[in-house]
Amino acid sequence: QSALTQPASVSGSPGQSITISCTGTSSDVGNYNYVSWYQQHPGKAPKLMIYEVSNRPSGVSNRFSGSKSGNTASLTISGLQAEDEADYYCSSYTSTSTVVFGGGTKLTVL
Amino acid sequence: EVQLVESGGALVQPGRSLRLSCTASGFSFGDYAMSWVRQAPGKGLEWVGFIRSKAYGGTTEYAASVKGRFTISRDDSKSIAYLQMNSLKIEDTAVYYCTRDWIQLWLPGSGYWGQGTLVTVSS
């Protein structure tokens, strides 16, 4: 199972919106609504930000939203804040009952 | 409150074995699938494998990179999941996380994470 494809880096200014893409195949992202997004700050464990494509766990800001179209899922962060600077990963359940992660995207808040 | 605490990480020589433990609390452990995810130094997240709950057969699935070398098991009476790692390679060096899905009992998701335990494979 190949890793999902994410851009290596994205950046934005405070207050702006950014979108991170996550491209898979019909064996994972395209066929299952079990796509999740994680935020990881340096030295910390990842934190779930979005589950099942577009659902936010309790306690996660509504500035974070998720969507999916075909084999590509997306994470949008609106009203960028300095604290949003982190690494972001997507994951998807797959047709072989496994999980695949994306390579990660480093978000820089300018 | 859901808590996952990993233990057992260590420095180990290539070819040797190591067993990690994940002690869970705050939920009905036996009802949920439990997963392991690792992260090599400076690298991204890599899914390792998971074990289903007994209600779903208690069976396991693994990433190709560890299949045949790693074994996941569980002791529901103690609320502990294990990751037995055999024939360790230098490329297995990573922080290993125990995870559980946010809401689904059967899904090998990672809604909850432990703090991780470091495994270093080196001669």
Side-chain angles (χ1 to χ4, degrees), chain A residues 21-107:
Chain A
S21 62
C22 170
T23 301
T25 69
S26 58
S27 295
D28 38 65
V29 174
N31 204 32
Y32 298 95
N33 287 326
Y34 295 115
V35 175
S36 299
W37 289 91
Y38 308 89
Q39 176 192 67
Q40 186 179 35
H41 288 110
K44 301 293 188 181
K47 174 187 176 183
L48 180 70
M49 305 304 284
I50 296 289
Y51 68 97
E52 294 179 13
V53 176
S54 59
N55 296 294
R56 273 188 312 276
S58 53
V60 171
S61 170
N62 60 9
R63 297 186 298 106
F64 292 82
S65 62
S67 63
K68 190 184 85 166
S69 177
N71 294 339
T72 298
S74 299
L75 172 71
T76 298
I77 308 174
S78 59
L80 266 181
Q81 299 180 0
E83 68 211 46
D84 299 333
E85 185 163 293
D87 293 326
Y88 290 84
Y89 297 89
C90 61
S91 74
S92 175
Y93 184 67
T94 81
S95 60
T96 55
S97 301
T98 60
V99 171
V100 61
F101 280 93
T105 298
K106 181 177 180 59
L107 169 62

